[in-house]
Amino acid sequence: ALVKFRPKGLLAMAASDVTVVRADLLQRLKQGESCRLVLGPCPPELLADKDLMLKALEFNAYAVEYLAAPLLEEREIWMTATKQNFHALRSCSADLLGDKETALSLIEADAFALRYLSPELRSDREVVLQALKGTGLALEFASAELRAERKVVEKAVQKDGLALEFASLELQKDEGIALEAVKSNTAVIR
């Protein structure tokens, strides 16, 4: 059953009704219903409820599109969204994506978060190496300078030989790097 909101929003609802509405919204998201249909008609009070929105993000990372403004700067929100789907970071603020501490946390949740980090952080050796611990394929999103660094590329191809594709042309031709890539993933030969 779809929940219909009264014109005066949640303030006009009894506490027990709000609990029912919250449970219904989460159940619908859990069942795979679109965020647009579930969260789109929600009153602002619900979209500002951090606990509710964290639960919603566990089911669908695209719930970030409906977050109330104050929640957009919450690191916990973005960690939860990233664990569900790193592409949710497209909606994340530049300030958070440029913060090294936040970046390292996001990468821990999903190494491919490197894709959305600031150019400065994609050039930061520590940040890139942390991403490469998760998957060598994160090399694709490292700066050109780091994709040309032998030690960085070695780490990437040791994790996944297919990362060789993202190394600089010079390192792609390097016999030692190529052998490391093949050891890690014979599909590189194809």
Side-chain angles (χ1 to χ4, degrees):
L2 294 177
V3 174
K4 300 286 184 197
F5 295 104
R6 296 179 188 164
K8 294 188 181 201
L10 293 179
L11 297 176
M13 298 176 118
S16 61
D17 290 340
V18 173
T19 302
V20 170
V21 167
R22 288 170 50 100
D24 178 63
L25 294 174
L26 292 174
Q27 184 61 33
R28 290 170 58 201
L29 287 172
K30 185 177 183 177
Q31 292 172 345
E33 197 169 334
S34 161
C35 283
R36 182 179 56 81
L37 297 174
V38 177
L39 299 175
C42 283
E45 306 95 285
L46 278 179
L47 301 176
D49 181 329
K50 183 176 178 179
D51 291 334
L52 174 68
M53 295 309 288
L54 281 169
K55 291 264 191 230
L57 288 165
E58 289 176 13
F59 299 124
N60 190 326
Y62 295 105
V64 296
E65 296 174 13
Y66 298 92
L67 289 168
L71 296 179
L72 291 172
E73 295 302 318
E74 298 264 349
R75 185 187 303 174
E76 184 181 7
I77 291 287
W78 295 104
M79 290 294 302
T80 302
T82 301
K83 286 177 186 171
Q84 220 286 324
N85 185 330
F86 77 94
H87 288 296
L89 291 174
R90 287 183 288 216
S91 303
C92 190
S93 75
D95 286 344
L96 282 175
L97 293 175
D99 177 71
K100 187 171 181 175
E101 186 179 334
T102 300
L104 289 169
S105 296
L106 292 171
I107 284 171
E108 189 176 313
D110 190 318
F112 287 117
L114 184 63
R115 175 181 184 166
Y116 294 104
L117 299 182
S118 70
E120 295 79 21
L121 290 176
R122 287 185 280 126
S123 295
D124 183 298
R125 182 175 288 96
E126 179 186 1
V127 170
V128 170
L129 289 174
Q130 183 67 34
L132 295 177
K133 287 180 183 177
T135 177
L137 297 176
L139 183 64
E140 177 181 5
F141 307 111
S143 68
E145 295 82 19
L146 290 177
R147 286 185 279 124
E149 276 194 28
R150 182 177 195 82
K151 290 196 183 289
V152 171
V153 173
E154 282 176 345
K155 292 279 187 200
V157 299
Q158 287 168 357
K159 191 73 175 173
D160 188 332
L162 294 175
L164 182 62
E165 171 185 356
F166 306 116
S168 67
L169 288 176
E170 180 182 327
L171 289 177
Q172 285 180 20
K173 296 174 186 176
D174 182 283
E175 188 176 318
I177 297 280
L179 285 173
E180 283 293 327
V182 172
K183 281 183 200 175
S184 144
N185 189 335
T186 56
V188 172
I189 298 170
R190 296 181 193 128

